[in-house]
Amino acid sequence: MNLKYYVGIDLGGTFIKGGIVDSYGKIIITKTVLTQSDLGNNKVILNIVNLANFLMSDARKKGISSFSGVGIGVPGIIDSAKGICICSHNLNFKNFNIAKEIQQKLNLDVKIINDANASTLAEYYYGAGKECSDIVMLTLGTGVGGGAIINNQLLLGNCSAGAEFGHIVVCVNGKKCSCGRNGCLEQYASATAITNLTKHAMQNNKQSKMWEVGSLDNVTAKTPFDYKDIDTIANDIVKDFIFYLSVALTNIANVLRPEIIILGGGVANQKQNITKPLQEIINSQIFASNQTPKVKVVTAKLGSNAGILGAVCNFFQK
Amino acid sequence: MNLKYYVGIDLGGTFIKGGIVDSYGKIIITKTVLTQSDLGNNKVILNIVNLANFLMSDARKKGISSFSGVGIGVPGIIDSAKGICICSHNLNFKNFNIAKEIQQKLNLDVKIINDANASTLAEYYYGAGKECSDIVMLTLGTGVGGGAIINNQLLLGNCSAGAEFGHIVVCVNGKKCSCGRNGCLEQYASATAITNLTKHAMQNNKQSKMWEVGSLDNVTAKTPFDYKDIDTIANDIVKDFIFYLSVALTNIANVLRPEIIILGGGVANQKQNITKPLQEIINSQIFASNQTPKVKVVTAKLGSNAGILGAVCNFFQK
């Protein structure tokens, strides 16, 4: 393979992270700028274009003169084939042809991809899933994002709207979700959900040791994990989180039967605190557990540059 | 394409259906024999071989002299790549290399496939999904079987254990399932489940109009549908069935985002009685329903020969 160089862009609600990545997945340089989505779509495009030009100019100083494309990860519903962001609440995009806008300004091939799909591709090529052909990834952050690789191909679904693992119902008639359903995983296993559930439990239990954090404002998704061994309220929150997440993961495993489930996002920093109990439940609950290979549960290996890397990996897919 | 001819075998617990199928999916002849699985694995293999030989001999009388392979649909967990039936409760098979056994006796290429996957392939090539690249199929019969086509490829998953849609939990802490979980779809939406739920409801409601069937022995999955417009007990059973099935179908749709969901098996004979209410719920509940294309819910188009056809379609997949 001839070594090629790509611009990778991880477009977030607050920051745009960019990097120059080679075709072996090595990140040569990175730079982060503000998104400024409040200043309108055109300003966001301009910020991406300026960042890409800055990165390419910097790379030229290192002797890299030719670039094969720009990959962009976007939070929202993306029609990858058409290069359109159908909608993104974080960015106020609606039916916006990001790919075309940037292609015109940079004169390079542009591919856009959903940000959770980008992280999934990065873990598949270079992270926890690099030995696998079938992987599932969930990012437990503000929301619950998802991506999957089936038979070495990214699972997109019609209009690239598949792999919405956050919107699997884990508790029928449960908590109202922003998507319109009741009892979605996102309402039980996102960092936001854990934080809210913890605050609610603390308000009802003034004797909880978690009050050592001072006030409810200091509560994060990490709080119940910090106190689970010394506080029953905290322990119950962690147990419920594990239970509902295990329901969703077993459902997903029975549908897609990956070799591995990779957990990313802030909550995955808990590592064995979450993978160990989840692995035990899934081992016993998965369909035909005695006759079929296990589905391994692990945490993501790549750090904050996974988004940049994954946006570029989109060029490696057939 | 040169016209080729295949032997298609639909291996069931009681009957083996066989046929000669051409590469356009036309079924030339069919014949059904007893499975006789109580007489052991070798007897089942012999019955398949004799059936295949009979069919080929009959086809030769019609001038068909060359056969390109034998496709077999098997109820159970199948490792298609290795040609092994990992386990089949209906047939008492365990780690049984069906493909090799038959290949040796017929000297033809043999491919085996899970029976629900076979039906899915048949609907994809020749039935309700023939215009689509992404389909999901559920067969609502004795159990709940499943299959899916993603980006024109059969979804197998590791060890071909994917698409087990019957074992998605739709009611957390619900009814015990044979798979070990609680609250699986199969316990709410199979013909067996509907029949049992109906009998149970009738026992608790001696005034139900469904008692017109005479005795509990005459109750089938059709009974509540026959009485739903004149009996509230029957109507509640149908409503619960639709509700739980809609939870699973929306979950599946949020994971795979097919263009179409095809319902097969005996319960699907209810046609619009089930597709109409399911379509309404899924339209409103699916993720990003306002921004993305609808997922159509339909019933299967192919009849009892779908198994034969699908076993042969396995030769058409890359």
Side-chain angles (χ1 to χ4, degrees):
Chain A
M1 157 166 100
N2 278 333
L3 195 59
K4 290 180 176 179
Y5 295 92
Y6 298 88
V7 181
I9 301 284
D10 180 3
L11 177 57
T14 313
F15 295 107
I16 309 173
K17 293 184 206 167
I20 301 294
V21 182
D22 76 17
S23 44
Y24 288 109
K26 186 169 168 56
I27 300 175
I28 317 288
I29 31 171
T30 63
K31 183 178 166 69
T32 298
V33 298
L34 286 171
T35 308
Q36 300 180 301
S37 62
D38 51 320
L39 303 181
N41 293 2
N42 290 337
K43 180 64 177 168
V44 175
I45 295 298
L46 189 66
N47 287 339
I48 294 172
V49 168
N50 287 344
L51 175 59
N53 277 326
F54 175 92
L55 289 163
M56 289 190 285
S57 154
D58 216 20
R60 281 190 196 97
K61 292 177 199 158
K62 295 176 190 282
I64 299 163
S65 57
S66 165
F67 302 92
S68 300
V70 182
I72 309 175
V74 182
I77 302 174
I78 307 301
D79 188 332
S80 289
K82 292 184 184 156
I84 292 173
C85 177
I86 293 167
C87 71
S88 169
H89 293 304
N90 291 344
L91 298 167
N92 280 320
F93 286 176
K94 211 172 170 184
N95 290 317
F96 185 44
N97 198 325
I98 304 177
K100 194 175 140 199
E101 294 278 339
I102 295 182
Q103 208 145 20
Q104 284 171 347
K105 293 187 171 65
L106 289 175
N107 206 19
L108 281 169
D109 193 11
V110 177
K111 279 182 188 280
I112 68 168
I113 183 173
N114 167 273
D115 57 351
N117 282 345
S119 301
T120 306
L121 277 182
E123 290 291 333
Y124 165 73
Y125 279 105
Y126 303 111
K130 70 179 175 182
E131 312 285 338
C132 303
S133 57
D134 296 88
I135 74 169
V136 157
M137 181 165 184
L138 278 83
T139 52
L140 311 173
T142 311
V144 173
I149 307 280
I150 306 298
N151 199 13
N152 297 302
Q153 288 294 306
L154 190 64
L155 169 68
L156 290 171
N158 193 18
C159 201
S160 312
E164 285 294 347
F165 302 138
H167 302 284
I168 287 175
V169 165
V170 292
C171 180
V172 95
N173 299 323
K175 287 174 190 292
K176 188 81 193 161
C177 183
S178 60
C179 77
R181 301 184 85 186
N182 290 297
C184 285
L185 177 66
E186 187 159 284
Q187 300 307 313
Y188 298 86
S190 63
T192 313
I194 299 171
T195 307
N196 290 340
L197 288 163
T198 304
K199 286 180 181 175
H200 185 75
M202 286 168 66
Q203 279 172 316
N204 290 334
N205 295 278
K206 297 290 180 190
Q207 81 288 9
S208 164
K209 292 212 172 61
M210 290 191 286
W211 281 106
E212 286 176 13
V213 300
S215 77
L216 291 181
D217 290 344
N218 299 331
V219 171
T220 69
K222 195 170 165 285
T223 308
F225 289 96
D226 289 343
Y227 285 87
K228 74 180 172 57
D229 294 332
I230 54 163
D231 183 65
T232 55
I233 309 295
N235 197 37
D236 285 349
I237 290 166
V238 170
K239 267 179 156 169
D240 283 354
F241 159 77
I242 294 290
F243 173 74
Y244 287 116
L245 184 53
S246 79
V247 171
L249 295 186
T250 311
N251 283 350
I252 296 167
N254 282 349
V255 170
L256 297 176
R257 195 42 98 103
E259 296 154 89
I260 197 167
I261 296 172
I262 304 168
L263 301 176
V267 182
N269 291 335
Q270 292 298 325
K271 303 222 177 260
Q272 281 95 337
N273 274 341
I274 60 173
T275 55
K276 198 165 170 278
L278 285 169
Q279 185 72 67
E280 277 173 24
I281 300 174
I282 291 169
N283 283 354
S284 74
Q285 296 275 296
I286 199 164
F287 185 71
S289 55
N290 293 331
Q291 288 91 31
T292 55
K294 294 214 179 333
V295 175
K296 273 179 72 178
V297 183
V298 301
T299 49
K301 277 201 177 162
L302 304 172
S304 60
N305 287 335
I308 295 171
L309 203 52
V312 167
C313 291
N314 199 17
F315 281 95
F316 309 161
Q317 285 272 297
K318 272 183 287 194
Chain B
M1 155 168 101
N2 277 333
L3 195 57
K4 291 181 176 178
Y5 294 91
Y6 299 87
V7 182
I9 301 284
D10 179 4
L11 176 56
T14 313
F15 297 107
I16 309 173
K17 292 184 207 167
I20 302 293
V21 183
D22 76 16
S23 44
Y24 289 109
K26 185 166 170 56
I27 300 175
I28 316 290
I29 31 173
T30 64
K31 183 177 164 69
T32 299
V33 299
L34 286 170
T35 308
Q36 299 179 302
S37 63
D38 51 321
L39 303 180
N41 293 3
N42 291 337
K43 181 63 177 167
V44 175
I45 295 297
L46 189 66
N47 287 340
I48 294 172
V49 169
N50 287 344
L51 176 58
N53 278 326
F54 175 91
L55 289 164
M56 289 189 286
S57 154
D58 216 20
R60 282 188 194 98
K61 292 176 198 159
K62 294 177 189 279
I64 299 164
S65 56
S66 164
F67 302 93
S68 301
V70 182
I72 308 176
V74 183
I77 302 176
I78 307 301
D79 188 332
S80 290
K82 292 183 184 153
I84 292 172
C85 177
I86 293 168
C87 73
S88 168
H89 295 302
N90 290 345
L91 297 166
N92 280 320
F93 286 177
K94 211 172 170 184
N95 289 317
F96 185 43
N97 197 323
I98 305 176
K100 196 175 139 199
E101 294 279 339
I102 295 181
Q103 207 144 20
Q104 284 170 348
K105 293 188 171 65
L106 289 175
N107 206 20
L108 282 169
D109 192 11
V110 177
K111 280 182 189 277
I112 68 167
I113 181 172
N114 167 274
D115 58 350
N117 282 345
S119 301
T120 305
L121 277 181
E123 290 290 335
Y124 164 73
Y125 281 105
Y126 304 112
K130 71 179 175 182
E131 313 285 338
C132 302
S133 56
D134 295 88
I135 74 170
V136 157
M137 181 166 182
L138 279 83
T139 53
L140 312 173
T142 310
V144 172
I149 307 279
I150 306 298
N151 200 14
N152 297 302
Q153 288 293 304
L154 191 63
L155 169 68
L156 290 171
N158 194 17
C159 200
S160 312
E164 285 294 347
F165 302 138
H167 302 284
I168 288 176
V169 165
V170 292
C171 180
V172 95
N173 299 322
K175 288 173 189 292
K176 186 83 191 161
C177 184
S178 59
C179 77
R181 302 184 84 185
N182 289 299
C184 286
L185 177 66
E186 187 159 283
Q187 300 306 315
Y188 298 87
S190 62
T192 313
I194 299 170
T195 306
N196 290 339
L197 289 163
T198 305
K199 287 180 180 176
H200 185 75
M202 284 168 66
Q203 280 172 314
N204 290 335
N205 295 277
K206 296 292 181 189
Q207 80 290 7
S208 164
K209 291 212 173 60
M210 290 191 285
W211 280 106
E212 286 175 12
V213 299
S215 77
L216 290 181
D217 291 343
N218 299 329
V219 171
T220 68
K222 195 171 164 285
T223 308
F225 289 96
D226 288 343
Y227 286 87
K228 73 179 173 57
D229 294 331
I230 54 164
D231 183 66
T232 56
I233 309 296
N235 196 37
D236 285 349
I237 291 166
V238 170
K239 266 179 158 170
D240 283 355
F241 158 79
I242 294 290
F243 174 75
Y244 287 117
L245 184 53
S246 79
V247 170
L249 296 186
T250 311
N251 283 350
I252 297 166
N254 282 349
V255 170
L256 297 175
R257 192 45 95 106
E259 296 154 271
I260 197 167
I261 295 173
I262 304 168
L263 302 175
V267 183
N269 291 335
Q270 292 299 325
K271 305 229 177 250
Q272 281 93 338
N273 274 340
I274 60 174
T275 53
K276 198 167 170 276
L278 285 169
Q279 186 71 67
E280 276 172 23
I281 301 173
I282 292 169
N283 283 354
S284 73
Q285 296 275 295
I286 199 164
F287 184 71
S289 56
N290 293 332
Q291 289 91 30
T292 56
K294 294 212 180 335
V295 175
K296 270 179 74 177
V297 183
V298 301
T299 49
K301 277 204 179 161
L302 304 172
S304 60
N305 288 334
I308 296 172
L309 202 53
V312 167
C313 292
N314 199 17
F315 281 95
F316 311 160
Q317 285 271 298
K318 272 184 286 195

